[in-house]
């Protein structure tokens, strides 16, 4: 069996079947067909069912873990070997989880029971002029997608529908508005479990939403959460993928949650008056999952799916008022907000330290709403540079994200634009962390091109050594390692990597060469699949990679 054929067999095994979860949606001239995730439940490796007594600690589960299948949810009460007990838990709406303490709940789905009214203001370009359309949530609890489709159909060729305002469903009137002059959050491009999303991406450019001053929370008591997905579990561009900043930038009294930091390590970091950069032990999955951070007098509790992390230590008191979504972690002016990586079906903010039951209620609500399966044990990790992270790709449509149309597993994209193999070494602790408790583990490594660029000057022999170290450590963590050979881009260490594989210096389990002569991505001058820089696959190229 050839190595290339072996790779496809392994991918098929992880998929446990083929799903066609890619449904047509928006006009192809803007961003291609609407991307729909997750894949069919039948591709979840047999976990699309109620939990059993043998879904225990030996299989990697812990007390408190959640399980969702068919719109029903369970919590693990005990995970004793062969005698696990899972209790059914009711599912509410995400904004109901904190009762009257919810100070903002908004997005393209109903988040608060009984809410009927405006959900989003969107802007489309028609004959060169901006047209504003209000999308409402009706009595059936659904977004008026017919109005959305009319707006998408009428837009100018090559343009997107941008989100101008997200209405507060909590009743407090804390509507959030797009950053002036930077209306970059799209709708109509990504769907999660049939829901439209608020989608960011590399090509969208920097920008986000402004939180009004009426959003006030105690520094030592609040909750911020999102439902949906993240296209990247790491810094997408100079440490700017930041879900939220609460408070006023530069005031010394603010909270930020961000991913990867300047070390590009893949973990979630937080900043508060104690420190501008505190690393947690959480890695955000790119699969559908509720993400939340709860602040209390004892510190922070963070969750993404069934992964949890704490950051202990007393927090300073005081009040955080206002803030931004998609804020720039570089510390620049607020109007230069950085790129986020979210594809969100909902955003919820509460003004008190939630109880464990409240935090669990939010996680359950998100799992049921987005058909998220926190019980998934198979893990796929990608490590690399901009060609995997999704440079100049809109709405998070990088190839690791697109792969989720075909199988259910826990996905983590640790790639970072501009990363060298030295940076990729720093991603290994995150990859090792998400491997713990996993079942089948697959790591895909693709990088080395940036090593030779001016300012890096990393010798080719070190590039090979670094890739060998990355491969070896991933194997030690239980991964089957697939190495993607370098592209035909001028300056890429393609020949050196190919030779190292042939000599056994580089010893991945699988070698993939999508750039070999005769294959669709072989010619980097082909602008139907590559950007004009001959370095980055365009959207069609990412589709092929997926």
């Amino acid at each position: 069996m050839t190595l290339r054929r072996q790779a496809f067999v392994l991918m098929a095994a992880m998929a446990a079947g083929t799903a066609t979860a890619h449904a047509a949606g928006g006009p192809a001239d803007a961003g291609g067909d609407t991307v729909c995730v997750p894949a069919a439940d039948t591709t979840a490796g047999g976990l699309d069912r109620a939990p059993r007594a043998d879904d225990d600690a030996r299989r990697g589960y812990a007390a408190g873990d959640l399980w969702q299948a068919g719109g029903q949810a369970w919590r693990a009460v005990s995970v004793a070997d062969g005698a696990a007990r899972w209790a059914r838990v009711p599912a509410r709406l995400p904004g109901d989880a904190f009762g009257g303490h919810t100070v903002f709940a908004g997005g393209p789905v109903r988040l608060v029971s009984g809410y009927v009214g405006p959900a989003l203001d969107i802007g489309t370009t028609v004959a060169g002029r901006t047209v504003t359309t209000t999308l409402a949530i009706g009595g059936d609890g659904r977004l008026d997608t017919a109005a959305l489709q009319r707006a998408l159909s009428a837009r100018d060729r090559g343009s997107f529908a941008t989100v101008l305002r997200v209405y507060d469903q909590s009743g407090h009137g804390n509507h959030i508005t797009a950053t002036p002059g930077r209306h970059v959050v799209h709708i109509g491009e990504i769907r999660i479990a049939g829901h439209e999303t608020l989608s960011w991406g590399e090509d969208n450019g920097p920008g986000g939403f402004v939180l009004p001053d009426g959003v006030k929370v105690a520094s030592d008591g609040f909750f911020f959460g999102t439902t949906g997905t993240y296209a990247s579990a790491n810094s997408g561009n100079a440490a700017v993928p930041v879900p939220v900043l609460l408070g006023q930038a530069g005031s010394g009294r603010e909270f930020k949650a961000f991913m990867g930091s300047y070390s590009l390590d893949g973990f979630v970091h937080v900043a508060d008056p104690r420190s501008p950069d505190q690393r947690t032990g959480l890695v955000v999955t790119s699969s559908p999952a509720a993400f939340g951070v709860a602040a209390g007098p004892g510190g922070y509790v963070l969750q993404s799916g069934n992964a949890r992390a704490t950051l202990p230590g007393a927090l300073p008191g005081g009040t955080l008022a206002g803030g931004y979504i998609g804020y720039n972690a570089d510390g620049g002016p607020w109007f230069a907000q950085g790129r986020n990586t979210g594809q969100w079906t909902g955003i919820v903010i509460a003004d008190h330290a939630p109880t464990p039951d409240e935090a669990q209620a939010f996680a359950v609500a998100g799992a049921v709403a987005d058909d998220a399966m926190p019980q998934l044990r198979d893990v796929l990790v990608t490590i690399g540079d901009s060609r995997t992270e999704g440079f100049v790709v809109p709405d998070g449509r990088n190839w690791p994200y697109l792969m989720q149309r075909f199988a259910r597993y826990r996905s983590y994209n640790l790639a970072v634009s501009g990363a060298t193999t030295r940076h990729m070494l720093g991603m290994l602790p995150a990859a090792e962390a998400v491997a713990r408790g996993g079942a089948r583990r697959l790591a895909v490594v693709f990088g080395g091109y940036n090593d030779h660029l001016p300012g890096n000057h990393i010798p080719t022999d070190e590039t090979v050594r670094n890739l060998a170290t990355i491969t070896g450590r991933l194997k030690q963590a239980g991964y089957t390692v697939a190495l993607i050979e370098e592209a035909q881009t001028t300056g890429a260490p393609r020949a050196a990597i190919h030779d190292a594989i042939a000599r056994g210096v580089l010893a991945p389990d699988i070698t993939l060469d999508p750039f070999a002569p005769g294959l669709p991505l072989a010619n980097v001058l082909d602008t139907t699949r590559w950007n004009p820089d001959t370095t980055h696959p365009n959207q069609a190229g990412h589709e092929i990679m997926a």
Side-chain angles (χ1 to χ4, degrees):
M1 182 181 296
T2 66
L3 288 174
R4 190 177 299 129
R5 175 62 181 161
Q6 182 184 11
F8 285 117
V9 169
L10 178 64
M11 295 291 187
M14 287 203 64
T18 300
T20 53
H22 184 188
D29 60 274
D33 290 343
T34 302
V35 171
C36 300
V37 298
D41 291 357
T42 53
T43 66
L47 297 180
D48 55 331
R49 54 168 173 79
R52 304 183 303 229
D54 61 344
D55 295 311
D56 53 25
R58 293 175 300 184
R59 299 192 65 194
Y61 296 108
D65 279 357
L66 297 178
W67 186 295
Q68 188 281 138
Q72 299 181 3
W74 295 261
R75 180 179 65 87
V77 178
S78 169
V79 291
D81 291 355
R85 291 191 299 114
W86 295 79
R88 278 282 304 276
V89 289
R92 294 183 283 175
L93 295 180
D96 291 341
F98 311 100
H101 287 286
T102 297
V103 294
F104 174 82
V109 303
R110 176 183 278 173
L111 296 167
V112 175
S113 295
Y115 181 80
V116 175
L120 309 169
D121 286 344
I122 66 170
T124 51
T125 303
V126 180
R129 301 182 63 182
T130 299
V131 175
T132 301
T133 303
T134 298
L135 303 178
I137 291 175
D140 60 357
R142 297 179 179 274
L143 186 72
D144 186 353
T145 54
L148 172 61
Q149 290 304 318
R150 288 194 295 270
L152 293 174
S153 298
R155 62 184 165 170
D156 290 352
R157 186 177 183 84
S159 65
F160 293 86
T162 58
V163 180
L164 309 178
R165 179 188 297 263
V166 182
Y167 286 89
D168 179 16
Q169 300 177 25
S170 75
H172 290 89
N174 291 322
H175 315 309
I176 63 176
T177 54
T179 311
R182 296 180 182 270
H183 302 166
V184 305
V185 181
H186 296 163
I187 188 169
E189 304 302 322
I190 304 287
R191 290 192 195 128
I192 298 173
H195 302 307
E196 299 291 346
T197 65
L198 311 174
S199 59
W200 278 264
E202 276 290 312
D203 197 45
N204 298 42
F209 299 106
V210 180
L211 294 172
D213 289 343
V215 178
K216 295 180 180 180
V217 299
S219 301
D220 57 356
F222 66 82
F223 176 88
F224 170 83
T226 62
T227 57
T229 60
Y230 289 82
S232 174
N234 210 343
S235 296
N237 184 5
V240 297
V242 182
V244 69
L245 176 143
L246 297 175
Q248 297 300 317
S251 68
R253 187 170 296 280
E254 60 199 48
F255 166 85
K256 287 186 267 189
F258 52 105
M259 302 171 192
S261 189
Y262 295 97
S263 57
L264 313 181
D265 57 28
F267 291 96
V268 177
H269 294 237
V270 299
D272 62 21
R274 296 179 301 176
S275 170
D277 191 343
Q278 302 168 71
R279 197 190 91 171
T280 75
L282 184 72
V283 183
V284 169
T285 179
S286 298
S287 308
F291 165 76
V293 53
Y300 300 105
V301 178
L302 300 95
Q303 185 162 357
S304 175
N306 274 340
R308 291 177 288 271
T310 59
L311 192 63
L315 297 170
T319 301
L320 307 176
Y324 309 97
I325 301 289
Y327 181 79
N328 184 352
D330 289 330
W334 66 266
F335 54 81
Q337 288 170 283
R339 295 168 175 84
N340 201 348
T341 67
Q343 290 79 42
W344 295 345
T345 56
I347 307 167
V348 173
I349 303 174
D351 68 354
H352 82 142
T355 67
D357 285 346
E358 289 173 333
Q360 176 186 274
F362 177 80
V364 169
V368 170
D370 292 334
D371 190 26
M373 289 185 168
Q375 70 268 27
L376 294 173
R377 309 312 305 171
D378 290 345
V379 176
L380 186 141
V381 164
T382 51
I383 291 179
D385 52 33
S386 54
R387 298 164 299 180
T388 299
E389 185 266 323
F391 178 70
V392 296
V393 171
D395 303 297
R397 298 176 188 222
N398 54 58
W399 60 263
Y401 191 83
L402 295 174
M403 284 174 61
Q404 295 183 71
R405 296 172 300 177
F406 310 116
R408 299 296 298 264
Y409 50 85
R410 286 190 283 130
S411 179
Y412 301 88
N413 184 357
L414 298 176
V416 174
S417 290
T420 67
T421 55
R422 291 175 182 171
H423 294 122
M424 290 163 60
L425 288 168
M427 302 170 192
L428 290 172
E432 292 162 343
V434 301
R436 300 183 189 113
R440 293 175 293 183
R441 284 156 279 187
L442 177 64
V444 183
V445 180
F446 178 30
Y449 172 76
N450 289 324
D451 287 22
H452 83 284
L453 295 178
N456 295 327
H457 298 298
I458 298 174
T460 301
D461 59 348
E462 183 185 340
T463 298
V464 170
R465 287 198 307 274
N466 290 342
L467 289 173
T469 299
I470 292 167
T471 300
R473 281 186 52 182
L474 289 170
K475 284 185 175 184
Q476 290 175 6
Y479 287 98
T480 296
V481 180
L483 180 70
I484 298 180
E485 293 203 40
E486 267 298 330
Q488 307 266 9
T489 307
T490 300
R494 178 176 172 83
I497 290 174
H498 189 84
D499 177 66
I501 293 170
R503 293 186 292 111
V505 175
L506 264 176
D509 299 292
I510 300 163
T511 300
L512 292 167
D513 188 3
F515 316 111
L519 293 182
L521 290 175
N523 181 11
V524 295
L525 299 176
D526 178 5
T527 55
T528 66
R529 298 179 175 112
W530 290 86
N531 282 294
D533 63 8
T534 73
T535 303
H536 298 98
N538 61 18
Q539 186 63 75
H542 278 268
E543 292 279 354
I544 293 169
M545 292 284 288

